[in-house]
Amino acid sequence: MIGCLLIGLFGAAIYGLVTLLPLFYQELMGYTALAAGWAVSPRGIGAIIAMPIIGYLTAKIDNRWLIAFGFCLFAAASLWFGEVNLSIGQWTFLWAIVVSGFGSGCVFVPLSTTTMAFLKNEEIGNASGLYNLLRNIGGSIGISVVNTIVARHEQLHRNELAASLDPGRVTVRGTIAGMQQYLGAQGASSSDALRQAYALLNQTVNGQARLWSYVDDFRYMALVCFGCVPIVFALKKAVRKGPAGAAH
């Protein structure tokens, strides 16, 4: 039960992250689908590096420590993503993405091994199916939740940002006047330049509101993963003596 709970929560976190990052690169950074895919592809490198190391360690140490380490790594990577801004480059989060991949590798095999460790052989098949079902359900829920948070928190942050754009403030008036002057110099009439200045300001507010909704999502995922760490130690201690089953 505890193993299924953990894989459900981790499935929500990892599928949520897999959904959010390409979406961020395409929506806010203007990347093509291919460029966004290349940007997040190093996650596979982290997982590849982790697999042989974890395969060796699962037979040597308490798997719960490996699982807890994996959750902490993934949470740390999520906090790292929470430092995102609109000036990042394609490879700014290269190491964070590699770390998230390594963290996922530290969770999947040890968790499946520990979850199945005390079951009878005839129970492994049904248990493995249930375990993978919970992972996929958790992933589906995670994707839905992170997209809902992005949509709702964008509205929340937009209201907060718009409230600070009081036309009576000197800085706001100065910014609008500066943009109007610049656009007027490009050939726009005074009224058109003013409308375009307001449109640019609105676009900036929308972009920042969307950005902060992504930041909220990344930080929530970190909290979920950190919250899973104490639950890990509710599992029974198990050291693998045979091949792992039900791996990701």
Side-chain angles (χ1 to χ4, degrees), residues 220-232:
Y220 288 154
M221 282 189 288
L223 288 176
V224 169
C225 290
F226 279 130
C228 287
V229 173
I231 302 175
V232 169

PDB file of all heavy atoms in Angstrom, residues 220-232:
ATOM      1  N   TYR A 220       5.644  23.547  -5.713  1.00  0.00           N
ATOM      2  CA  TYR A 220       4.696  22.580  -5.145  1.00  0.00           C
ATOM      3  C   TYR A 220       5.192  21.154  -5.364  1.00  0.00           C
ATOM      4  O   TYR A 220       5.043  20.298  -4.480  1.00  0.00           O
ATOM      5  CB  TYR A 220       3.314  22.756  -5.781  1.00  0.00           C
ATOM      6  CG  TYR A 220       2.579  24.003  -5.365  1.00  0.00           C
ATOM      7  CD1 TYR A 220       1.618  24.588  -6.193  1.00  0.00           C
ATOM      8  CD2 TYR A 220       2.835  24.616  -4.137  1.00  0.00           C
ATOM      9  CE1 TYR A 220       0.938  25.741  -5.809  1.00  0.00           C
ATOM     10  CE2 TYR A 220       2.160  25.762  -3.750  1.00  0.00           C
ATOM     11  CZ  TYR A 220       1.215  26.326  -4.591  1.00  0.00           C
ATOM     12  OH  TYR A 220       0.544  27.459  -4.216  1.00  0.00           O
ATOM     13  N   MET A 221       5.770  20.885  -6.533  1.00  0.00           N
ATOM     14  CA  MET A 221       6.300  19.553  -6.791  1.00  0.00           C
ATOM     15  C   MET A 221       7.441  19.229  -5.836  1.00  0.00           C
ATOM     16  O   MET A 221       7.571  18.097  -5.362  1.00  0.00           O
ATOM     17  CB  MET A 221       6.761  19.432  -8.247  1.00  0.00           C
ATOM     18  CG  MET A 221       5.628  19.239  -9.219  1.00  0.00           C
ATOM     19  SD  MET A 221       6.182  18.834 -10.873  1.00  0.00           S
ATOM     20  CE  MET A 221       6.840  20.414 -11.383  1.00  0.00           C
ATOM     21  N   ALA A 222       8.267  20.231  -5.540  1.00  0.00           N
ATOM     22  CA  ALA A 222       9.350  20.023  -4.575  1.00  0.00           C
ATOM     23  C   ALA A 222       8.783  19.682  -3.202  1.00  0.00           C
ATOM     24  O   ALA A 222       9.281  18.770  -2.522  1.00  0.00           O
ATOM     25  CB  ALA A 222      10.227  21.275  -4.495  1.00  0.00           C
ATOM     26  N   LEU A 223       7.729  20.371  -2.788  1.00  0.00           N
ATOM     27  CA  LEU A 223       7.110  20.088  -1.485  1.00  0.00           C
ATOM     28  C   LEU A 223       6.546  18.670  -1.437  1.00  0.00           C
ATOM     29  O   LEU A 223       6.674  17.971  -0.421  1.00  0.00           O
ATOM     30  CB  LEU A 223       6.003  21.105  -1.213  1.00  0.00           C
ATOM     31  CG  LEU A 223       6.447  22.532  -0.876  1.00  0.00           C
ATOM     32  CD1 LEU A 223       5.235  23.447  -0.730  1.00  0.00           C
ATOM     33  CD2 LEU A 223       7.268  22.554   0.413  1.00  0.00           C
ATOM     34  N   VAL A 224       5.916  18.238  -2.532  1.00  0.00           N
ATOM     35  CA  VAL A 224       5.370  16.877  -2.587  1.00  0.00           C
ATOM     36  C   VAL A 224       6.482  15.847  -2.414  1.00  0.00           C
ATOM     37  O   VAL A 224       6.354  14.885  -1.640  1.00  0.00           O
ATOM     38  CB  VAL A 224       4.612  16.643  -3.905  1.00  0.00           C
ATOM     39  CG1 VAL A 224       4.279  15.165  -4.093  1.00  0.00           C
ATOM     40  CG2 VAL A 224       3.339  17.471  -3.950  1.00  0.00           C
ATOM     41  N   CYS A 225       7.594  16.051  -3.117  1.00  0.00           N
ATOM     42  CA  CYS A 225       8.704  15.089  -3.041  1.00  0.00           C
ATOM     43  C   CYS A 225       9.367  15.099  -1.667  1.00  0.00           C
ATOM     44  O   CYS A 225       9.696  14.034  -1.123  1.00  0.00           O
ATOM     45  CB  CYS A 225       9.726  15.378  -4.138  1.00  0.00           C
ATOM     46  SG  CYS A 225       9.136  14.990  -5.806  1.00  0.00           S
ATOM     47  N   PHE A 226       9.568  16.269  -1.100  1.00  0.00           N
ATOM     48  CA  PHE A 226      10.126  16.326   0.252  1.00  0.00           C
ATOM     49  C   PHE A 226       9.173  15.664   1.245  1.00  0.00           C
ATOM     50  O   PHE A 226       9.603  14.996   2.192  1.00  0.00           O
ATOM     51  CB  PHE A 226      10.390  17.774   0.669  1.00  0.00           C
ATOM     52  CG  PHE A 226      11.679  18.340   0.139  1.00  0.00           C
ATOM     53  CD1 PHE A 226      11.694  19.570  -0.512  1.00  0.00           C
ATOM     54  CD2 PHE A 226      12.871  17.658   0.290  1.00  0.00           C
ATOM     55  CE1 PHE A 226      12.882  20.107  -1.002  1.00  0.00           C
ATOM     56  CE2 PHE A 226      14.074  18.176  -0.198  1.00  0.00           C
ATOM     57  CZ  PHE A 226      14.077  19.406  -0.840  1.00  0.00           C
ATOM     58  N   GLY A 227       7.861  15.837   1.037  1.00  0.00           N
ATOM     59  CA  GLY A 227       6.876  15.219   1.912  1.00  0.00           C
ATOM     60  C   GLY A 227       6.862  13.705   1.825  1.00  0.00           C
ATOM     61  O   GLY A 227       6.421  13.029   2.763  1.00  0.00           O
ATOM     62  N   CYS A 228       7.342  13.161   0.702  1.00  0.00           N
ATOM     63  CA  CYS A 228       7.378  11.705   0.530  1.00  0.00           C
ATOM     64  C   CYS A 228       8.523  11.057   1.305  1.00  0.00           C
ATOM     65  O   CYS A 228       8.469   9.843   1.582  1.00  0.00           O
ATOM     66  CB  CYS A 228       7.511  11.349  -0.953  1.00  0.00           C
ATOM     67  SG  CYS A 228       6.018  11.625  -1.917  1.00  0.00           S
ATOM     68  N   VAL A 229       9.549  11.827   1.630  1.00  0.00           N
ATOM     69  CA  VAL A 229      10.740  11.259   2.276  1.00  0.00           C
ATOM     70  C   VAL A 229      10.402  10.549   3.580  1.00  0.00           C
ATOM     71  O   VAL A 229      10.809   9.387   3.781  1.00  0.00           O
ATOM     72  CB  VAL A 229      11.821  12.332   2.472  1.00  0.00           C
ATOM     73  CG1 VAL A 229      12.987  11.768   3.295  1.00  0.00           C
ATOM     74  CG2 VAL A 229      12.324  12.827   1.118  1.00  0.00           C
ATOM     75  N   PRO A 230       9.675  11.161   4.535  1.00  0.00           N
ATOM     76  CA  PRO A 230       9.361  10.411   5.760  1.00  0.00           C
ATOM     77  C   PRO A 230       8.464   9.202   5.520  1.00  0.00           C
ATOM     78  O   PRO A 230       8.549   8.208   6.254  1.00  0.00           O
ATOM     79  CB  PRO A 230       8.657  11.457   6.645  1.00  0.00           C
ATOM     80  CG  PRO A 230       8.220  12.545   5.738  1.00  0.00           C
ATOM     81  CD  PRO A 230       9.194  12.559   4.615  1.00  0.00           C
ATOM     82  N   ILE A 231       7.619   9.267   4.480  1.00  0.00           N
ATOM     83  CA  ILE A 231       6.749   8.121   4.178  1.00  0.00           C
ATOM     84  C   ILE A 231       7.578   6.924   3.733  1.00  0.00           C
ATOM     85  O   ILE A 231       7.226   5.771   3.993  1.00  0.00           O
ATOM     86  CB  ILE A 231       5.720   8.497   3.093  1.00  0.00           C
ATOM     87  CG1 ILE A 231       4.873   9.691   3.542  1.00  0.00           C
ATOM     88  CG2 ILE A 231       4.808   7.313   2.758  1.00  0.00           C
ATOM     89  CD1 ILE A 231       3.904  10.200   2.481  1.00  0.00           C
ATOM     90  N   VAL A 232       8.701   7.201   3.057  1.00  0.00           N
ATOM     91  CA  VAL A 232       9.571   6.127   2.568  1.00  0.00           C
ATOM     92  C   VAL A 232       9.977   5.197   3.708  1.00  0.00           C
ATOM     93  O   VAL A 232      10.024   3.966   3.547  1.00  0.00           O
ATOM     94  CB  VAL A 232      10.821   6.717   1.884  1.00  0.00           C
ATOM     95  CG1 VAL A 232      11.856   5.622   1.621  1.00  0.00           C
ATOM     96  CG2 VAL A 232      10.439   7.410   0.583  1.00  0.00           C
TER      97      VAL A 232
END
